[in-house]
Amino acid sequence: MSGPPLLELRDVAKHFGTHEAVRGVTEAFQAGEYVCILGASGCGKTTLLRLIAGFETPSRGDIALEGQSLIAVPPERRNVNLVFQDYALFPHLTVRANVEFGLEMRRVAAADRARRADAALALVDLPATGDRFPQQLSGGQRQRVAVARALVNEPAVLLLDEPLSALDRGLRQQMQAELRRIQRNVGITFLHVTHDQGEALSLADRVAVMHAGRFVQVGTPREIYERPRSRLVAEFVGASNVIPRPRLAPWLGPSGAGDGVTLVRPERIGIAAEPMEGRAVVGTVRRTAYFGATVECLVDAAGLALVVHVPAAAAAGLTDGAAVWLRIAAEDVVALAEDVA
Amino acid sequence: MRPAARRALFGAVLAFVYAPILVVVVYSFNDSRFALAWQGFTLRWYRSLLASAEFRTALENTLVISLSATLLATALGTLLAVGIHFLRFPGRRALQALLYLPVVMPDIVMAVGLLALYVATHLTLGRVSVILAHVSFQISFVALVVGGRLQGFPVSLVEAARDLGAGPLAVLRRIVLPVIRPGIAAGAVVAATLSVDDFLITYFTAGAGASTLPIRIYAMVKRGVTPDVNALATLLLVFTIGVSLLALRGVGRPNRTGETA
Amino acid sequence: MRVERRGRLVAATVGPAALFLLVFFLVPFAVVVVYALSPAAPGGGVGPGFTLEQLGRLWNVDYLRIVGRSARLAAVATLLTLAIAYPVAWAIARLERRRQLLPLLVIVVPSWINLLIKNYAWITILRREGLVNTALTGLGVTSEPLPLLFTEGAVVVGLVHSYLPFMLLPIYAALDRIEPALIEAARDLGATPGRVFRRIVWPQSLAGVAAGCTFVFVLAFGSFVTPDLLGGARGMMIGNLIQNQILQVRNWPLGAALSVALTVVVVAAIGGALLLANRAQRGRTA
Ligand SMILES: Nc1ncnc2c1ncn2[C@@H]1O[C@H](COP(=O)(O)OP(=O)(O)OP(=O)(O)O)[C@@H](O)[C@H]1O
Ligand SMILES: [Mg+2]
């Protein structure tokens, strides 16, 4: 992506007392991007969004929107909107009044307000609920209202703090698709915080993996998944076999082995119940677990305990205690950097 | 506790608490000025009470004073509670502690202090001095009741409103006040009943001109037991119990958004 | 810039009430303290200068007797209220939850009745021509009406009647928090009902008992109306003495000194109760 960045974070840090919640984040976000910020609980995701929204003042660094520093701008005058984790719908206002609230604050005329609120409610697929109160809606509907209430203001950036965490699994997957559709539709930059790696990988144009107050890797979902830079990212995103490189010698030969730590994704390991040609190593299935589309096998081979994923259709003969042959190709071995603390 | 023992206990306490009050109410309808024996039902004590100029003045004073004082105290106390809840500032804890003082301070001490202040500043005693005196103890009760209601107020609602472009005044008017309205109403009712019921502080700060219903009762009681005291007492009793019961229902009732208040 | 804005918000919300409380609560009390340290002017009111004379006069025998009576009557009233309220609170707390509401309401309603009315009611009952004396003479139990009104006993009855809800509610709240399973477990382990009460119920209700006793003692000790209406000259308490000094004798400094003394006792009682409650709390969590 190119062009001047829409939103820029320059060495943004925030500490509460002695605790550093955000420790110097530098990143630029482009117009129209869908970015997921992925990280474990307590790593500073919410704090980062609150810094951008204006509810916290950075201890250091700068935040700029369309080239203008936001530091001295109070939240009500920032052209960004936040979808709160608990939605924060106003309980005493109807759905329509909730959606119109931001326009009313900007003194948009009543007729215009109504038109835009209708459009926003239609966008989130919630027509004809305008006269209800938030308490009369289901969790998924409240979520949509929260998104409509923020989007109707046409912010430059929409911030979403774990917007789907309060929903059950099925609804969450449906809403993921909805969010993506809505974002495509309006073309607004979405900054979506989540601790669910599946959600991040399936939704985002780019994923920023956050750990202990820092962005440890930013890239496309494919890059993050296939080329994680460090063990930390590798283990956070997807199931992983993290193996010291010398231990791979049975597969790669002494020349292919070397120093450092490597990653091999479970679905990249070839497995068969019969001997294979090429450099296959024999092992024993210790345990299998059935996941519907795939079967997960825990295999002891060459002194390693490896996790292997096989399409269920190809899993015949992979029973507990069975002898199996494993193959690992050099191009599926990813070198990992040591993590900085 | 066995049911029989429990019933006996409840019965005895009930009799102790309510019998004396019942006597007053019953005798307010007794058609005799002196006799203890029942002489027949009458409303004449109520009629003579309502006809008396002193009663009317006292009633008018009570209404004017408690309405004005309650309005003022509700406004001041609500703002105070909101400020203490949402803002952090030096002296906040001290202010919070100060709120409890008027609640525990003996009435007689507050009465003496206010009178001393009024005398020292040459403020003429009358309705105004009583209103100011009432506000000085009402504020605390309003702030404590409203503050209790604010305990469960999600900060995210305030942040959401600001995020949508609302300045501090709009947040207060459009979000905070509407959401805590049941608490404000409850605080106002508590303040109003305290004002209507207050005797001692009013007695010290009213001067000759601003006697209220409790002061009327006191003056009449000092003169002796008469049926019109019974009638006046019964009226005041019905009023305060009625208002309090209404307020209790209002507080316990879910508001229109379906959320329990 | 943000800080300045916040300052304005604080001034706009907290400012008016804080100012009001300063002028109409703190300043009056400060005036009382200053008066307590001033000499009395000959014609009534306050003279110039500073003196400890008024505070010294508090140790006069007559005043001490009144202060002593205030403490005694308040203490007796507190204990009697406790003796009545505790069993009732216990009986209510052991009811099924939905059956507790009515008895609680019945207990709370009298606290909404004007104090004057509650005390006046006892006049109609206790006076010479009142219900009790009429009944006693009518039945021939006594030939002469008994002097019931204007006694210390009448004051105590009035205080107990007036302040019962303030004892009952905190005790009920404490008892209501005790898990029924705890009592059942104690019974299961072989404790007799008496031991269950001593070892399980009473210790856990202590915070409520302390709160109730503090409320009632403080209210009773500083009362004016009840001793005025039911005690007369023989039942005079410190509140009546203050009123008398200020409004009749016009000895402001002495009235102010008595007010300060009353405040000190009240604050000490509340502070002591809070301290005890804190210690009990810590003892439990430690
Ligand atoms: N106002 C605050 N005062 C003190 N510490 C805070 C404050 N807000 C956040 N923290 C701390 O900063 C760290 C990061 O918090 P943050 O809420 O940003 O985490 P998060 O990544 O959003 O976690 P989660 O996934 O659990 O929501 C936490 O350790 C938290 O305790
Ligand atoms: Mg968070």
Side-chain angles (χ1 to χ4, degrees):
Chain A
M1 252 166 271
S2 58
L6 177 71
L7 175 70
E8 233 187 320
L9 308 178
R10 287 188 217 103
D11 193 27
V12 174
K14 175 70 188 177
H15 39 82
F16 299 105
T18 57
H19 178 77
E20 273 198 283
V22 176
R23 315 201 207 183
V25 170
T26 302
E27 188 57 46
F29 302 94
Q30 307 297 327
E33 269 195 296
Y34 199 125
V35 179
C36 278
I37 299 173
L38 175 65
S41 181
C43 72
K45 305 181 298 289
T46 297
T47 306
L48 188 67
L49 285 199
R50 291 172 58 80
L51 284 162
I52 300 170
F55 297 118
E56 308 284 356
T57 320
S59 319
R60 163 161 61 86
D62 193 17
I63 301 169
L65 185 68
E66 291 162 335
Q68 303 286 312
S69 170
L70 286 181
I71 299 299
V73 182
E76 62 266 29
R77 294 217 300 275
R78 295 189 182 195
N79 192 17
V80 300
N81 282 115
L82 179 59
V83 175
F84 288 76
Q85 187 167 3
D86 64 352
Y87 310 145
L89 297 179
F90 305 129
H92 61 298
L93 299 181
T94 60
V95 165
R96 165 174 297 281
N98 262 284
V99 174
E100 287 189 16
F101 188 87
L103 300 174
E104 205 183 323
M105 291 301 119
R106 293 190 171 84
R107 307 199 188 289
V108 174
D112 208 15
R113 277 204 316 257
R115 191 179 49 70
R116 286 169 65 179
D118 282 337
L121 284 170
L123 178 71
V124 299
D125 205 14
L126 259 191
T129 49
D131 296 329
R132 292 202 228 159
F133 285 94
Q135 290 78 5
Q136 301 167 319
L137 301 180
S138 71
Q141 288 173 323
R142 286 181 208 180
Q143 216 279 320
R144 291 165 194 259
V145 175
V147 171
R149 184 178 72 175
L151 276 181
V152 75
N153 308 294
E154 293 166 11
V157 179
L158 186 73
L159 309 167
L160 304 103
D161 190 3
E162 310 214 13
L164 307 179
S165 64
L167 306 180
D168 59 44
R169 216 178 129 80
L171 203 50
R172 196 156 62 219
Q173 278 169 359
Q174 185 192 336
M175 278 310 295
Q176 283 171 8
E178 280 287 275
L179 281 177
R180 188 69 240 214
R181 175 185 67 77
I182 292 165
Q183 193 269 343
R184 291 258 162 75
N185 217 317
V186 295
I188 289 172
T189 303
F190 277 33
L191 268 189
H192 173 145
V193 155
T194 178
H195 59 247
D196 178 340
Q197 39 128 342
E199 186 171 306
L201 295 181
S202 66
L203 269 177
D205 298 320
R206 285 198 301 153
V207 176
V209 181
M210 194 167 180
H211 175 74
R214 289 196 181 89
F215 280 1
V216 288
Q217 187 172 359
V218 185
T220 64
R222 184 170 288 272
E223 282 166 2
I224 296 286
Y225 186 77
E226 294 182 355
R227 297 285 148 201
R229 201 172 288 155
S230 66
R231 176 176 190 152
L232 200 144
V233 177
E235 289 190 331
F236 195 73
V237 182
S240 310
N241 293 296
V242 176
I243 307 162
R245 192 178 282 275
R247 307 285 298 273
L248 287 172
W251 286 279
L252 307 181
S255 58
D259 288 340
V261 183
T262 65
L263 162 75
V264 182
R265 291 289 185 195
E267 69 278 9
R268 293 292 181 175
I269 299 179
I271 185 168
E274 294 113 39
M276 295 186 267
E277 76 271 27
R279 237 191 250 271
V281 175
V282 72
T284 316
V285 176
R286 181 134 45 95
R287 217 169 43 236
T288 59
Y290 178 70
F291 286 100
T294 57
V295 172
E296 182 176 274
C297 303
L298 202 62
V299 182
D300 290 325
L304 296 165
L306 296 170
V307 181
V308 183
H309 288 176
V310 200
L318 302 180
T319 49
D320 291 9
V324 289
W325 281 259
L326 300 182
R327 199 166 52 180
I328 296 174
E331 64 267 27
D332 290 327
V333 177
V334 182
L336 296 177
E338 278 305 317
D339 290 299
V340 281
Chain B
M1 203 176 290
R2 286 205 202 88
R6 188 174 62 221
R7 267 197 294 277
L9 179 68
F10 281 173
V13 173
L14 214 65
F16 171 67
V17 172
Y18 283 95
I21 296 160
L22 212 60
V23 169
V24 172
V25 174
V26 168
Y27 278 99
S28 76
F29 298 108
N30 189 13
D31 196 2
S32 160
R33 177 161 283 277
F34 302 107
L36 268 179
W38 183 254
Q39 303 284 334
F41 180 88
T42 181
L43 287 176
R44 74 172 150 127
W45 310 119
Y46 289 91
R47 251 178 267 125
S48 81
L49 183 73
L50 295 178
S52 104
E54 284 152 325
F55 169 76
R56 291 182 177 197
T57 325
L59 179 64
E60 189 191 314
N61 281 332
T62 301
L63 290 178
V64 171
I65 288 168
S66 61
L67 276 179
S68 328
T70 301
L71 276 179
L72 191 56
T74 304
L76 293 179
T78 300
L79 280 176
L80 180 64
V82 167
I84 286 183
H85 184 80
F86 288 109
L87 303 172
R88 298 287 170 272
F89 52 91
R92 176 172 168 274
R93 293 218 152 258
L95 197 58
Q96 242 172 337
L98 172 68
L99 279 186
Y100 286 93
L101 280 186
V103 178
V104 300
M105 190 69 102
D107 282 3
I108 185 87
V109 178
M110 286 186 73
V112 169
L114 283 160
L115 179 58
L117 176 76
Y118 293 159
V119 170
T121 54
H122 304 289
L123 183 80
T124 318
L125 299 188
R127 283 179 179 174
V128 172
S129 60
V130 178
I131 290 171
L132 294 172
H134 283 199
V135 174
S136 77
F137 63 76
Q138 285 174 309
I139 284 183
S140 288
F141 287 92
V142 173
L144 291 173
V145 172
V146 173
R149 175 85 196 184
L150 280 167
Q151 284 307 304
F153 193 98
V155 187
S156 64
L157 289 189
V158 171
E159 293 183 338
R162 299 196 64 194
D163 188 67
L164 295 168
L169 195 66
V171 172
L172 184 69
R173 271 193 39 235
R174 295 292 315 277
I175 306 298
V176 176
L177 292 185
V179 172
I180 63 170
R181 198 168 47 196
I184 299 174
V189 169
V190 170
T193 53
L194 287 172
S195 166
V196 169
D197 264 352
D198 177 70
F199 163 69
L200 199 52
I201 293 174
T202 313
Y203 181 59
F204 270 67
T205 55
S211 93
T212 58
L213 289 178
I215 292 192
R216 271 311 293 153
I217 294 185
Y218 182 74
M220 289 161 82
V221 169
K222 279 300 205 182
R223 257 186 277 133
V225 174
T226 58
D228 19 350
V229 190
N230 295 333
L232 177 49
T234 304
L235 283 182
L236 195 58
L237 193 110
V238 168
F239 175 76
T240 40
I241 293 182
V243 168
S244 302
L245 280 177
L246 271 181
L248 202 68
R249 276 192 53 192
V251 169
R253 194 175 41 202
N255 63 22
R256 79 193 152 94
T257 59
E259 171 205 34
T260 341
Chain C
M1 191 191 105
R2 297 287 282 280
V3 170
E4 190 181 301
R5 235 167 73 109
R6 171 123 45 94
R8 279 214 305 275
L9 280 181
V10 171
T13 53
V14 175
L19 194 67
F20 194 98
L21 286 177
L22 174 69
V23 175
F24 292 100
F25 182 76
L26 290 180
V27 168
F29 189 69
V31 173
V32 171
V33 173
V34 170
Y35 281 10
L37 299 172
S38 304
V46 186
F50 168 84
T51 174
L52 292 177
E53 185 197 333
Q54 304 304 333
L55 292 179
R57 283 187 62 190
L58 293 181
W59 304 103
N60 167 310
V61 193
D62 289 335
Y63 300 151
L64 279 184
R65 196 165 50 219
I66 292 176
V67 173
R69 181 190 295 134
S70 305
R72 183 159 39 83
L73 296 190
V76 171
T78 304
L79 289 179
L80 274 177
T81 317
L82 176 62
I84 298 173
Y86 201 103
V88 176
W90 176 242
I92 296 178
R94 297 299 321 255
L95 288 174
E96 282 166 59
R97 182 152 297 275
R98 62 190 171 76
R99 290 181 59 202
Q100 292 181 358
L101 208 64
L102 185 65
L104 278 178
L105 193 67
V106 166
I107 291 298
V108 173
V109 164
S111 69
W112 300 333
I113 298 174
N114 192 303
L115 191 63
L116 289 162
I117 297 177
K118 282 190 277 194
N119 290 166
Y120 164 72
W122 284 102
I123 297 183
T124 66
I125 289 175
L126 297 178
R127 68 194 169 123
R128 266 181 81 85
E129 311 80 18
L131 277 182
V132 173
N133 273 322
T134 310
L136 289 180
T137 47
L139 292 171
V141 180
T142 56
S143 51
E144 281 286 294
L146 299 174
L148 299 174
L149 192 60
F150 304 132
T151 59
E152 292 189 355
V155 176
V156 169
V157 169
L159 291 174
V160 171
H161 185 246
S162 302
Y163 299 134
L164 190 60
F166 294 93
M167 182 69 85
L168 214 148
L169 290 178
I171 296 179
Y172 161 78
L175 289 175
D176 187 50
R177 272 196 297 268
I178 301 178
E179 295 272 350
L182 232 53
I183 293 164
E184 284 159 12
R187 295 295 298 273
D188 186 60
L189 295 171
T192 60
R195 289 188 61 117
V196 169
F197 178 77
R198 275 202 315 278
R199 300 289 302 278
I200 311 282
V201 178
W202 176 252
Q204 296 203 60
S205 65
L206 269 183
V209 170
C213 287
T214 312
F215 287 148
V216 173
F217 182 83
V218 163
L219 285 166
F221 189 74
S223 63
F224 166 80
V225 170
T226 308
D228 185 69
L229 294 185
L230 303 178
R234 267 178 290 156
M236 199 177 198
M237 288 170 66
I238 187 167
N240 311 86
L241 181 58
I242 295 174
Q243 184 261 1
N244 178 268
Q245 287 300 321
I246 301 278
L247 295 187
Q248 264 98 53
V249 184
R250 305 208 147 270
N251 185 341
W252 271 92
L254 183 58
L258 286 162
S259 302
V260 172
L262 173 56
T263 308
V264 168
V265 172
V266 165
V267 169
I270 293 172
L274 283 179
L275 219 67
L276 279 179
N278 261 345
R279 188 165 309 163
Q281 189 85 45
R282 229 173 306 142
R284 195 158 316 152
T285 51

